[in-house]
Amino acid sequence: TTKPMKATLPSDRLFQGETDGSSFPNGGLRVTHSAAAFTTWDRSSPPFVLNKTLYIPCAFITHFGKCIDEKTPLLRSMDAVKKEGLRLLKASGLGKDVQTIYSYLGWEQEFFVIKAEHYKARPDLVNTGRTLFGKLPTRHQQGDLNYFAPVPGNVQLLLDRVQAVMLRLGCPMAVKHNEVAPGQHEMSPVFRVANVSCDTNVLFMEVMNREAAKMGLQVLFHEKPFAGINGSGKHANWSVGTDTGLNFFYPGKTEEGAKLFVTGIACL
């Protein structure tokens, strides 16, 4: 007889997964029993559901614990800042009731928005994300007219849609506006803990591309897609704070606040 079968998702699979790691980061010969790589849930970064798929932010390490991702070094650096920051507070006699320290990050994502048909007509843009040939326009960003002009209607609709999607995913966007170069724009979220902020930045770019495609548009995240005009930056506004509300990078109006600020700038 055939045994009954049903789809299951063991709860322990949410916390740790295993895959073939023999090709990470660059392949090579490895013995079978140590070729595996493991995902482990970064439980300080909230999971979310997008398009009926559960996304679980994870670190990715080898059988021997070496990192083969970009999240693990970030988490380790946050732990280092926490450890040394607590030592610093203790040595300076500040924040005696502090239990932990957080690294915060607020990113500012700049990008260009062009028509998808124009993008597809340029093999250089499609394959490299930037233009490799062509003639500079006779007029481009003189006078910075784009920065102070109204956001084009179709781009405004795109930004509004992305803002709504990101809010449903738990990432409220605080800023959306034109940038200096023609066709260049920016969106930024509310400050968050650094690892969560990095996760939502990657998510934002995925959402932006998906929503743009629905509208016949293409978003360019390359740092310099066009010659002769400004490139796109990703400003990272980083700060360090405590669970009691102290901010190492805010001078404040008290002697203690000034001391913390000077100490933080000098040491961190």
Side-chain angles (χ1 to χ4, degrees), residues 16 32 36 59 75 81 105 143 208 213 238 240:
Q16 178 177 309
T32 302
L75 294 174
V81 169
L105 176 66
M208 178 67 80
W238 183 68
V240 179

Side-chain angles (χ1 to χ4, degrees), residues 95-116:
K96 297 180 180 179
D97 56 342
V98 171
Q99 297 296 316
T100 191
I101 288 179
Y102 301 106
S103 296
Y104 296 104
L105 176 66
W107 47 267
E108 302 175 36
Q109 180 69 63
E110 296 176 357
F111 49 86
F112 285 84
V113 180
I114 62 175
K115 291 184 177 180

Side-chain angles (χ1 to χ4, degrees), residues 4-207:
M5 299 180 63
K6 61 180 180 179
T8 62
L9 177 61
S11 58
D12 56 344
R13 295 295 297 273
L14 295 175
F15 297 90
Q16 178 177 309
E18 180 179 347
T19 184
D20 177 15
S22 60
S23 297
F24 294 99
N26 55 8
L29 186 65
R30 303 186 189 180
V31 293
T32 302
H33 71 274
S34 63
F38 300 90
T39 59
T40 177
W41 180 5
D42 174 13
R43 276 162 277 177
S44 60
S45 185
F48 55 89
V49 176
L50 178 62
N51 293 332
K52 299 181 180 180
T53 300
L54 174 63
Y55 287 66
I56 302 177
C58 289
F60 191 39
I61 60 175
T62 70
H63 175 81
F64 297 105
K66 295 182 178 180
C67 60
I68 45 179
D69 62 348
E70 297 177 348
K71 176 183 275 287
T72 302
L74 174 61
L75 294 174
R76 290 174 178 173
S77 69
M78 291 171 62
D79 285 341
V81 169
K82 172 186 172 182
K83 176 183 177 182
E84 300 305 324
L86 290 173
R87 286 184 60 208
L88 178 62
L89 287 177
K90 183 178 180 180
S92 61
L94 299 171
K96 297 180 180 179
D97 56 342
V98 171
Q99 297 296 316
T100 191
I101 288 179
Y102 301 106
S103 296
Y104 296 104
L105 176 66
W107 47 267
E108 302 175 36
Q109 180 69 63
E110 296 176 357
F111 49 86
F112 285 84
V113 180
I114 62 175
K115 291 184 177 180
E117 59 185 288
H118 295 165
Y119 169 78
K120 294 174 182 177
R122 293 293 300 257
D124 50 352
L125 271 180
V126 173
N127 289 283
T128 70
R130 57 172 296 195
T131 52
L132 301 178
F133 54 86
K135 183 179 179 181
L136 293 176
T138 55
R139 185 174 74 87
H140 37 86
Q141 64 184 55
Q142 294 96 328
D144 302 334
L145 300 179
N146 186 65
Y147 192 85
F148 297 104
V151 179
N154 59 343
V155 176
Q156 183 66 59
L157 179 58
L158 170 63
L159 302 187
D160 290 343
R161 288 182 176 180
V162 171
Q163 184 180 38
V165 173
M166 293 300 293
L167 183 59
R168 291 197 296 271
L169 294 173
C171 179
M173 305 299 293
V175 173
K176 52 180 179 178
H177 60 78
N178 287 342
E179 264 302 332
V180 174
Q184 189 181 37
H185 311 276
E186 177 184 304
M187 291 189 76
S188 307
V190 177
F191 271 63
R192 308 185 78 174
V193 177
N195 61 315
V196 179
S197 191
C198 289
D199 289 341
T200 55
N201 184 214
V202 175
L203 173 62
F204 166 80
M205 293 188 286
E206 179 181 333
V207 170

